[in-house]
Amino acid sequence: MPVHIPLPVPDLTGRSKPQGHLSEVQQEKYQAVLKHFGSEDYKLPGVPEEDGELKEVEKFWLTYECLLRYLRAVKWASAEAAIKRLEDTLKWRREFGWYDKITAEYVEPEGVTGKADVFGYDVDGRPAQYLTPSKQNTEESHRQIEFTFFMVEKLMDLMGPGVETLALMINFGDRGKNPSMSTSRKVLDILQTHYPERLGRAFVINVPFVINMFLKLIMPFVDPVTREKVHFNPDVVKEGLFTADQVKKQFGGSVEFEYKHEAYWPAFLKMCEENRTAWMKKWRAMGGTVGLKEWDFKNGETAPSTEVNEKKDVAVAESAAASQPQTSEKTIAAVEEVPVVETAVAV
């Protein structure tokens, strides 16, 4: 019998793990970034003075793992380099419309055919984003790009503890209208600039000659590290990347999935909202500040540390507490008791 709704986030107990420990140099750079954004008088530069304070949702976005993603994106060159990229993304997120314009109702017309949907998880718990160009239903527009990133943002609400990346599944079967070179370049630029370290694996099947030529044109603009993550015509089940019950038949799985918008869309939105609401509730209980760990508020428990890293974590917490008094003892106590959003390549 066909399945019409997304699968729930799997139990990752014993399969996922928190971020690895940092070297002393890396820890110092991380602490500098944390101190910058955690300062009591921090104001986002380049915006009107009255809008400079971080919104709660922005603090929620600036997690421990998020800061590390941007530090890795600049190859740990410096705290200043990561800070600049983070601030550029914070400003982009406001300008793009994440906090007012881009809603489920606004982008829904782009999703009625199922040209982009999320279904199942790979063996590492990554949610799988399916793209089917043959189901394109609208003329090329900025809203198509907005829909692309709406789905990416929702994907992040389906990443369980220890999961930070996605699995991208592109099926070029059947004839479809493909995005222009300019739109593809724009999407890639946004992905590489504002969604670093988000692609786990990408699988592409049924690549016709024309699309193959198109990919040869666009691939030079893709970061070399990202290119290595793209695989053509894989057998994801035999290669041990998915279990059969977590992947659609066209990619070698056992699930007969049929997209029915009236069933899928509300179920998908509800699942994302429930996860995000639960995680934000725990995040608030932990103090609601910059630099809290996704592992903690998603998993319900703190991550194990070695003695030296425990001391460093305490130093970071004390530094943040010095500039934000309301998060000191209350936050540490809460952490002991209480256990984030693509038509192309997410980098």
Side-chain angles (χ1 to χ4, degrees):
M1 179 176 289
V3 176
H4 306 298
I5 60 175
L7 297 177
V9 178
D11 181 1
L12 300 176
T13 303
R15 287 197 286 154
S16 66
K17 58 183 180 180
Q19 280 281 353
H21 297 311
L22 306 179
S23 68
E24 288 193 15
V25 172
Q26 290 174 336
Q27 184 70 37
E28 288 173 3
K29 292 177 180 178
Y30 166 75
Q31 187 169 349
V33 176
L34 175 62
K35 184 177 180 181
H36 177 83
F37 288 103
S39 172
E40 187 176 27
D41 58 357
Y42 175 77
K43 292 291 183 67
L44 182 63
V47 301
E49 177 69 20
E50 62 273 17
D51 298 327
E53 290 188 8
L54 292 176
K55 306 173 188 291
E56 182 185 53
V57 68
E58 291 172 327
K59 293 179 181 179
F60 181 66
W61 179 78
L62 285 165
T63 61
Y64 170 79
E65 290 85 349
C66 176
L67 302 188
L68 291 187
R69 283 192 293 272
Y70 277 76
L71 280 162
R72 291 197 301 271
V74 299
K75 304 186 187 310
W76 296 94
S78 67
E80 291 74 23
I83 287 169
K84 184 181 185 306
R85 282 200 61 170
L86 281 159
E87 290 181 334
D88 286 346
T89 294
L90 285 166
K91 286 183 283 188
W92 172 81
R93 291 179 69 81
R94 293 186 182 190
E95 293 163 2
F96 198 71
W98 283 124
Y99 311 125
D100 43 35
K101 178 185 177 183
I102 303 176
T103 64
E105 293 74 22
Y106 172 70
V107 301
E108 185 175 5
E110 298 289 344
V112 295
T113 60
K115 64 188 179 188
D117 66 86
V118 179
F119 186 85
Y121 305 80
D122 73 7
V123 293
D124 296 310
R126 297 184 182 94
Q129 164 88 68
Y130 287 81
L131 303 177
T132 312
S134 64
K135 294 183 178 181
Q136 180 60 265
N137 63 313
T138 60
E139 293 300 316
E140 193 166 76
S141 68
H142 187 62
R143 192 178 66 181
Q144 287 186 349
I145 296 175
E146 292 166 332
F147 174 67
T148 292
F149 292 105
F150 177 85
M151 294 301 289
V152 171
E153 294 283 323
K154 291 302 175 187
L155 266 172
M156 295 174 192
D157 294 333
L158 301 179
M159 292 179 180
V163 179
E164 298 182 53
T165 57
L166 61 89
L168 188 63
M169 326 286 282
I170 307 177
N171 181 4
F172 282 108
D174 301 324
R175 291 182 176 272
K177 185 177 181 181
N178 299 295
S180 66
M181 188 70 165
S182 61
T183 294
S184 298
R185 287 280 305 275
K186 187 178 296 184
V187 169
L188 282 170
D189 180 62
I190 292 173
L191 289 169
Q192 294 182 142
T193 304
H194 302 299
Y195 293 87
E197 300 282 319
R198 283 300 194 182
L199 179 68
R201 302 182 178 114
F203 306 107
V204 187
I205 62 173
N206 298 320
V207 184
F209 175 77
V210 174
I211 299 301
N212 187 52
M213 295 301 295
F214 176 81
L215 290 173
K216 286 183 178 179
L217 290 173
I218 199 70
M219 277 307 207
F221 300 103
V222 180
D223 182 89
V225 175
T226 300
R227 287 203 298 268
E228 293 179 3
K229 299 176 182 178
V230 181
H231 306 275
F232 293 92
N233 301 314
D235 189 325
V236 297
V237 175
K238 286 186 178 180
E239 293 175 30
L241 304 173
F242 281 82
T243 57
D245 61 345
Q246 288 286 326
V247 69
K248 297 180 185 180
K249 280 189 174 181
Q250 61 261 44
F251 274 87
S254 62
V255 182
E256 185 180 344
F257 178 84
E258 179 184 1
Y259 187 85
K260 287 192 174 182
H261 187 71
E262 65 277 12
Y264 181 92
W265 189 248
F268 173 65
L269 294 177
K270 182 174 183 288
M271 185 164 63
C272 293
E273 181 60 29
E274 286 178 347
N275 286 339
R276 187 176 182 82
T277 298
W279 293 339
M280 184 166 272
K281 182 179 179 181
K282 291 179 180 178
W283 173 81
R284 287 177 179 139
M286 293 164 59
T289 62
V290 170
L292 295 181
K293 294 182 179 181
E294 294 172 26
W295 176 268
D296 291 339
F297 62 72
K298 289 183 178 183
N299 204 44
E301 59 182 326
T302 55
S305 315
T306 62
E307 183 178 353
V308 62
N309 279 280
E310 285 175 352
K311 291 178 180 178
K312 291 181 181 297
D313 287 344
V314 170
V316 172
E318 289 175 347
S319 175
S323 59
Q324 300 187 59
Q326 73 275 18
T327 68
S328 57
E329 294 182 3
K330 179 181 177 181
T331 301
I332 295 170
V335 170
E336 292 174 348
E337 295 175 2
V338 185
V340 89
V341 311
E342 304 182 15
T343 354
V345 180
V347 198

